C-alpha cells in the first residue's frame, strides 16, 4: 500500500534529527515469522527492508537513463486536454505553460476558490498588490491564455472525492475528452518530530497523497490515459525537519505503475531555481519572520510577526502597477522613485496593521531613495518594533540584503 511508505519519512528523518536515535522500517507480508521480525528490528542494518516469504529484501536505487518510451513526455498527447492541480503555484504553472506553449494542450486549472472573471480581473489587479495571491493567479492565467489553446478554471478540492468528481466532469463538459492530469498541488510544513502534531502531518499528506489517490480514481473512471505526480527528491535525501514531506513523497513514488488502464508516473524534482514550495519557503525565511498571513493592500501582500514580536508588512513596488512611483521620477524623467510621502504612507499602513489606529510619526529620517526601474519590481518591507521602543523601518531588498531606506519613531 502506497500509504505505508509514509512511515519511511519518520524512520529516515529521526536519525538525522537525533543522533542517538536509530529507526528501522520492516515491510512485512502475511507470512511473517515473528522471531525473524524481532531479529530484523533489533540488529543493525539498512533503514528500510522488507520480509517476503521469510527472505530479506533491501531497496536498490539504480540510475537509468530515460529512453523515448520511458519519458513522461511520451505519455502527453499534442493537443490533448489535461487537468493541472497546483497550476497557480510555481512548479505547476511552469509545467502548465510547457503543455500549452510547446504541446498545444488544452488546460483545466484546478482552484480551491473561484477567481475573478471578465472585467473584474483588471479591477482586481489595479486595487490589490502585485504579489497578492489572486493577482498572481490572474497574471498566470492571462499568460497561459496567450498561447492560444483553451484554458478553463475549475473549482475543486483534491482532498474531497465528490468535489474532484465534479471538477473532472466539468472539465470534460467544457473541453471534451480528458487525456490525463498533472498533480502538482502540495504543502510544505517543516517541523521537528518532537514538535510535530497529527495536524502537521495531515496538512502535508492530505493535498499530496489523498489528492493523488482521488485523482487516480476519478481519471480511471473518466477513461484517461495518464496521471503525472510531481514528487520531490526529499524522498531520497530525507532532510531533517521534513518527516511528513519525505514520507508523503515516498508514497507518491510507490503509486507509480498501472492503475487499471491508467498509467501513473511519479517525477521527483529537486529545488527549482525560481519556482516551487521550497523556493517560497526560502524567500519567506529571508523575511526573518515566525509566521505570516495574507494582507490586502495595493503594495503589501504579507502580514507577518517577526521573531522578536515585531509586526512586518512585505510586498513589492513596480512602476507598471503603482502610480505613486510611476508618476514620481528623477529630473530626467527616466527613473521612477518612491517619494517621501510614499515612505510615510507605507509607515502609517504598517502602524495601523500593528494595532495603532491613529499613528503619529516622529523623528522621520529619509536615508536612501527606493528606486524602481521600469520593468522591474522591488521587494519592500516595513517593520514596526514591539513596545516600549516602537520604531518603524522601511527597507528594500537589493538582492544581497535588506537596505534601510527610512525610519521613524511611532507615538
Amino acid at each position: 500500500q502506497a500509504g505505508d511508505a509514509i512511515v519511511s519519512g519518520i524512520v529516515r528523518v529521526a536519525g538525522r534529527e537525533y543522533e542517538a536515535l536509530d529507526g528501522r522500517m520492516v515491510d512485512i507480508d502475511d507470512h511473517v515469522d515473528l522471531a525473524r521480525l524481532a531479529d530484523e528490528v533489533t540488529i543493525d542494518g539498512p533503514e528500510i527492508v522488507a520480509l517476503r516469504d521469510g527472505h530479506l529484501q533491501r531497496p536498490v536505487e539504480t540510475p537509468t537513463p530515460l529512453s523515448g518510451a520511458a519519458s513522461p513526455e511520451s505519455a502527453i498527447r499534442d493537443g490533448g486536454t489535461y487537468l493541472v492541480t497546483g497550476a497557480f503555484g510555481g512548479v505547476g504553472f511552469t509545467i502548465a505553460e510547457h503543455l500549452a506553449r510547446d504541446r498545444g494542450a488544452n488546460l483545466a486549472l484546478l482552484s480551491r476558490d473561484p477567481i475573478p472573471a471578465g472585467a473584474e480581473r483588471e479591477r482586481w489587479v489595479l486595487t490589490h498588490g502585485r504579489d497578492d495571491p489572486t493577482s498572481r493567479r490572474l497574471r498566470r492565467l492571462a499568460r497561459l491564455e496567450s498561447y492560444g489553446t483553451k484554458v478553463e478554471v475549475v473549482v475543486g478540492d483534491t482532498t474531497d472525492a465528490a468535489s474532484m468528481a465534479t471538477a473532472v466532469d466539468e472539465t470534460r463538459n467544457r473541453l471534451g475528452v480528458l487525456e490525463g492530469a498533472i498533480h502538482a498541488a502540495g504543502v510544505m510544513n517543516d517541523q521537528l518530530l518532537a514538535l510535530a502534531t497529527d495536524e502537521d502531518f495531515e496538512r502535508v499528506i492530505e493535498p499530496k497523497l489523498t489528492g493523488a489517490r482521488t485523482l487516480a480514481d476519478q481519471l480511471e473512471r473518466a477513461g484517461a490515459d495518464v496521471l503525472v505526480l510531481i514528487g520531490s527528491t526529499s524522498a531520497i535525501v530525507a532532510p531533517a525537519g521534513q518527516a511528513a514531506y519525505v514520507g508523503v513523497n515516498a508514497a507518491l513514488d510507490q503509486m507509480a505503475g498501472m492503475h487499471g488502464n491508467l498509467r501513473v508516473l511519479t517525477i521527483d524534482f529537486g529545488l527549482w531555481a525560481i519556482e516551487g514550495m521550497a523556493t517560497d519557503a526560502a524567500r519567506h525565511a529571508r523575511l526573518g519572520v515566525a509566521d505570516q498571513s495574507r494582507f490586502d493592500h495595493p503594495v503589501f501582500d504579507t502580514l507577518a510577526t517577526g521573531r522578536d514580536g515585531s509586526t512586518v508588512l512585505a510586498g513589492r513596488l513596480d512602476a507598471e502597477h503603482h502610480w505613486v512611483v510611476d508618476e514620481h521620477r528623477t529630473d530626467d524623467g527616466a527613473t521612477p522613485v518612491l517619494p517621501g510621502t510614499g515612505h510615510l504612507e507605507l509607515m502609517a499602513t504598517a502602524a495601523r496593521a500593528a494595532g495603532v489606529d491613529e499613528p503619529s510619526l516622529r523623528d522621520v529620517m529619509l536615508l536612501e531613495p527606493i528606486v524602481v526601474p521600469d520593468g522591474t519590481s522591488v521587494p519592500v518591507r516595513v517593520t514596526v518594533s514591539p513596545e516600549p521602543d516602537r520604531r518603524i523601518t522601511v527597507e528594500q531588498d537589493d538582492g544581497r540584503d535588506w537596505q534601510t531606506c527610512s525610519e521613524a519613531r511611532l507615538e
Side-chain angles (χ1 to χ4, degrees):
Q1 299 295 320
D4 294 344
I6 292 175
V7 179
S8 68
I10 299 174
V11 170
R12 299 183 63 206
V13 170
R16 289 160 174 76
E17 295 183 9
Y18 308 99
E19 293 183 2
L21 184 62
D22 291 324
R24 200 165 203 214
M25 174 179 170
V26 184
D27 191 306
I28 61 175
D29 57 18
D30 295 333
H31 309 291
V32 63
D33 180 272
L34 294 181
R36 178 69 185 278
L37 177 59
D39 289 340
E40 290 302 330
V41 171
T42 56
I43 64 175
D44 291 334
E47 294 172 322
I48 300 175
V49 296
L51 284 175
R52 294 292 183 269
D53 293 325
H55 298 287
L56 182 68
Q57 298 179 356
R58 302 178 180 182
V60 177
E61 296 173 1
T62 305
T64 305
L66 286 175
S67 65
S71 170
E73 189 173 80
S74 67
I76 302 298
R77 300 185 185 184
D78 288 341
T81 295
Y82 296 91
L83 173 67
V84 185
T85 74
F88 294 108
V91 173
F93 170 75
T94 302
I95 294 172
E97 184 175 38
H98 164 71
L99 294 176
R101 180 189 60 216
D102 302 326
R103 307 306 299 272
N106 300 314
L107 302 176
L109 313 179
L110 188 74
S111 174
R112 292 192 61 156
D113 303 302
I115 65 174
E120 182 60 25
R121 288 191 191 179
E122 184 176 354
R123 285 195 293 270
W124 183 281
V125 173
L126 291 174
T127 56
H128 294 74
R130 178 180 174 82
D131 278 352
D132 168 79
T134 300
S135 296
R136 287 200 301 266
R137 291 179 178 184
L138 291 174
R139 289 198 304 274
R140 287 176 169 172
L141 177 58
R143 185 163 165 178
L144 293 175
E145 291 173 336
S146 71
Y147 296 114
T149 62
K150 296 178 181 178
V151 180
E152 297 282 349
V153 176
V154 294
V155 176
D157 181 353
T158 57
T159 66
D160 185 307
S163 172
M164 285 308 302
T166 300
V168 167
D169 290 343
E170 188 173 350
T171 298
R172 297 167 70 190
N173 290 335
R174 295 192 199 178
L175 298 175
V177 176
L178 178 62
E179 273 77 22
I182 315 295
H183 182 40
V187 173
M188 285 187 72
N189 186 33
D190 292 0
Q191 188 68 270
L192 294 175
L193 279 168
L195 304 176
T197 64
D198 290 347
E199 289 75 18
D200 289 326
F201 273 80
E202 290 170 1
R203 186 182 177 201
V204 176
I205 292 169
E206 286 294 305
K208 265 195 173 292
L209 181 56
T210 304
R213 287 169 163 169
T214 302
L215 267 174
D217 291 342
Q218 295 303 324
L219 290 174
E220 189 174 0
R221 175 182 66 86
D225 299 327
V226 65
L227 168 61
V228 180
L229 306 177
I230 305 303
S232 169
T233 52
S234 290
I236 301 169
V237 180
Q242 291 193 356
Y245 196 65
V246 170
V248 77
N249 280 287
L252 293 190
D253 290 347
Q254 294 301 312
M255 282 191 64
M258 295 301 298
H259 289 243
N261 293 321
L262 178 71
R263 180 184 178 189
V264 178
L265 299 165
T266 303
I267 307 174
D268 289 339
F269 286 107
L271 180 64
W272 290 56
I274 300 175
E275 309 286 2
M277 289 180 287
T279 311
D280 287 343
R283 182 167 61 246
H284 295 158
R286 183 172 171 77
L287 284 174
V289 298
D291 57 70
Q292 59 186 16
S293 60
R294 176 176 171 178
F295 190 77
D296 194 7
H297 185 268
V299 174
F300 302 118
D301 63 89
T302 301
L303 170 63
T305 302
R307 296 186 178 93
D308 61 352
S310 58
T311 298
V312 181
L313 284 182
R316 290 176 180 267
L317 283 168
D318 72 81
E320 180 181 358
H321 293 88
H322 300 119
W323 65 267
V324 70
V325 290
D326 184 39
E327 296 185 5
H328 294 87
R329 296 174 177 261
T330 53
D331 288 343
D332 58 5
T335 306
V337 296
L338 182 69
T341 53
H343 286 250
L344 298 179
E345 178 58 35
L346 297 184
M347 290 180 180
T349 299
R352 286 189 286 269
V356 181
D357 294 334
E358 298 182 1
S360 177
L361 302 175
R362 295 286 186 269
D363 302 329
V364 176
M365 291 187 289
L366 302 177
L367 305 172
E368 295 286 343
I370 295 181
V371 179
V372 187
D374 286 314
T376 67
S377 63
V378 175
V380 294
R381 74 176 180 188
V382 182
T383 303
V384 182
S385 63
E387 295 180 315
D389 182 26
R390 306 207 77 175
R391 298 195 63 81
I392 301 184
T393 304
V394 178
E395 301 168 285
Q396 68 171 337
D397 187 354
D398 63 7
R400 297 180 301 274
D401 201 357
W402 289 99
Q403 178 182 4
T404 300
C405 299
S406 60
E407 57 185 17
R409 180 166 52 88
L410 177 61
E411 291 184 350

